[in-house]
Amino acid sequence: MSFKKTVCAFDFPARLSGCFLRDGALSPAYGDRSVGACPQWTTFAAYSFTAGRYFYYADGELYVSDDGTHYSKLATTDGFAPFVIEDIDGGATRVAVITGDRAVICKEGTFTTEKLPHALDCGAVHCGRLFGGKRFTVRWSGSGGLLDWKEGIGKSGSVTLDPERGKILDMKVFAGKLVVVRQLGLTVLSMYGSPENFSVVITDTDCDRIFKNTVQIVGDRLVFCTRSGLKVFDGVRITPFKTRHPMSEPTCSATYAGRYFAVCGEGIVCADADGESCLLEVCPGALFVKDGVFACNGGTVKRLTEGEGVYKFVTSAIDFGTARAKTLTAIELDGVAELRVDNGRESRVFENAGGIVRPRMRGQAFTVTVKSGGRISRLNMTAEVTRGI
């Protein structure tokens, strides 16, 4: 004796690569197209709209490109990883790539190199001043910006933070405040007016270890990665941000069109505001944003193209609620895909499958792998289950 049972494969745990599973449907997330070139071992990249140029960092060297394909060396950084800021000088916007105590400045198409009085690991421009951090110290320039480091009342200065939250990793201007991202939490600074009015805002913003280069402003939230997963800061408190995919050992990040991207050990994880996420199986050394998200991978610049690419969806082993022997009689799907069905002993592949596929495979549990480049909103599996006696 036997009975038939139908289940929806989307209702079970699965591994997703290159697709979103949203509202009961699979759809391609991003493909990648080669659009340019960069140094082979690029670990930092940025595009400046003000300068109209690309900046790359690889093996201690800083490079610039006008077109994203041809690049030339700008400077040797002595091992200091760069960060980019923009400020105003004489009514004109200038872009500076800062590496330690050196600033490579592009203003009105001309490059100059200036030495700063202090080496900085990160920084941000706030209220006309450059704020920079190294170890536990926050330094600020005078109101003249990047190169104004004259000391005195109302001019440049510094504050050393308590060591409890660890070393400074990054800085972001968020919700009108300067947020100092540290190894074990956030320190919020109120830096308005003259330095005598600067203050540390008392906040409950401790957390587990934060990964450097993962902090981004996404909408009205500050998003970053920690050892225990993604977190968000709303200006008051830090809370977990659950996504479908974990973000293990992230190395860099980007944000575009309300989505957060992080390069992790498995590839690029992209998360939406609702927590739905996808995994792109490419592991670049750097990400940057222009009119989309771009990845520097092995000397090639790739553009992440939304809604394109072949994705893969792999179900867990589905036993239809019983360990009894059964026959997988049908798989129903809308759309076209390559299906691979595995019963733990053997597998069958159905190319260009669509409608109803009849595997007629015997086993206790079945794993189905779907490869497709189009939307699939139905993936139902039917088995004939043997009744016990």
Side-chain angles (χ1 to χ4, degrees):
M1 297 289 292
S2 63
F3 64 94
K4 288 186 176 181
K5 185 173 182 178
T6 299
V7 299
C8 175
F10 296 152
D11 294 338
F12 296 84
R15 299 194 308 274
L16 286 74
S17 174
C19 59
F20 285 108
L21 176 56
R22 181 181 285 109
D23 299 327
L26 291 172
S27 59
Y30 291 90
D32 58 87
R33 296 180 182 176
S34 297
V35 294
C38 60
Q40 178 74 21
W41 305 111
T42 296
T43 55
F44 169 88
Y47 178 78
S48 167
F49 287 93
T50 298
R53 288 174 168 87
Y54 304 78
F55 296 97
Y56 306 117
Y57 169 78
D59 285 337
E61 307 286 356
L62 181 65
Y63 299 84
V64 65
S65 172
D66 293 337
D67 58 6
T69 298
H70 305 91
Y71 52 88
S72 58
K73 188 169 75 172
L74 269 178
T76 299
T77 68
D78 296 329
F80 288 97
F83 63 94
V84 177
I85 63 100
E86 294 186 356
D87 73 348
I88 304 296
D89 178 49
T93 303
R94 61 185 171 186
V95 178
V97 183
I98 299 175
T99 58
D101 61 356
R102 180 181 299 181
V104 179
I105 301 170
C106 179
K107 180 182 175 183
E108 298 179 330
T110 300
F111 283 95
T112 58
T113 299
E114 301 286 347
K115 187 174 176 60
L116 304 179
H118 309 285
L120 304 174
D121 289 333
C122 59
V125 173
H126 179 53
C127 296
R129 299 175 187 262
L130 170 63
F131 290 83
K134 187 170 181 62
R135 292 181 60 81
F136 303 99
T137 301
V138 176
R139 300 185 183 276
W140 56 85
S141 71
S143 57
L146 172 63
L147 301 179
D148 180 8
W149 291 93
K150 294 179 182 178
E151 296 182 355
I153 298 175
K155 298 182 179 180
S156 69
S158 67
V159 61
T160 298
L161 305 176
D162 67 87
E164 184 177 352
R165 289 175 180 160
K167 296 177 183 178
I168 297 170
L169 302 178
D170 205 345
M171 292 185 180
K172 293 287 184 183
V173 178
F174 175 71
K177 300 288 196 301
L178 184 70
V179 178
V180 182
V181 181
R182 304 171 66 183
Q183 290 173 310
L184 296 171
L186 310 176
T187 298
V188 181
L189 304 180
S190 178
M191 300 302 214
Y192 289 104
S194 56
E196 58 264 29
N197 297 320
F198 291 0
S199 64
V200 178
V201 180
I202 304 302
T203 57
D204 181 18
T205 49
D206 295 327
C207 64
D208 57 322
R209 186 165 294 275
I210 298 173
F211 288 96
K212 185 176 174 59
N213 299 325
T214 66
V215 181
Q216 299 290 339
I217 297 174
V218 185
D220 59 354
R221 299 183 295 179
L222 199 70
V223 181
F224 54 95
C225 289
T226 72
R227 290 286 183 191
S228 62
L230 209 59
K231 298 288 195 300
V232 296
F233 176 59
D234 61 3
V236 178
R237 61 183 61 84
I238 295 172
T239 55
F241 181 32
K242 299 297 183 183
T243 60
R244 181 183 298 275
H245 295 83
M247 297 187 184
S248 60
E249 302 298 324
T251 56
C252 61
S253 62
T255 181
Y256 183 75
R259 286 176 171 167
Y260 177 85
F261 299 79
V263 176
C264 304
E266 305 84 1
I268 301 174
V269 177
C270 168
D272 265 345
D274 60 2
E276 187 55 63
S277 62
C278 69
L279 171 67
L280 311 177
E281 292 184 337
V282 55
C283 291
L287 297 176
F288 68 92
V289 170
K290 187 185 173 189
D291 53 347
V293 180
F294 295 78
C296 297
N297 188 31
T300 301
V301 177
K302 295 185 176 182
R303 181 190 179 103
L304 303 187
T305 52
E306 188 174 0
E308 296 185 9
V310 175
Y311 62 80
K312 183 165 65 174
F313 173 85
V314 184
T315 70
S316 55
I318 297 175
D319 65 2
F320 293 83
T322 174
R324 297 179 184 136
K326 56 193 68 75
T327 301
L328 183 62
T329 58
I331 300 175
E332 181 186 8
L333 71 156
D334 60 338
V336 178
E338 175 190 289
L339 294 184
R340 181 185 182 93
V341 186
D342 193 308
N343 65 1
R345 299 185 307 274
E346 60 178 342
S347 61
R348 294 183 63 187
V349 176
F350 302 86
E351 297 183 357
N352 296 316
I356 297 177
V357 177
R358 302 192 183 279
R360 294 188 175 87
M361 294 176 68
R362 190 78 173 156
Q364 290 184 320
F366 305 89
T367 299
V368 175
T369 300
V370 178
K371 290 184 180 180
S372 180
R375 178 182 170 87
I376 294 177
S377 61
R378 185 167 61 254
L379 186 64
N380 296 329
M381 300 168 60
T382 299
E384 188 169 327
V385 183
T386 302
R387 292 186 184 274
I389 298 177

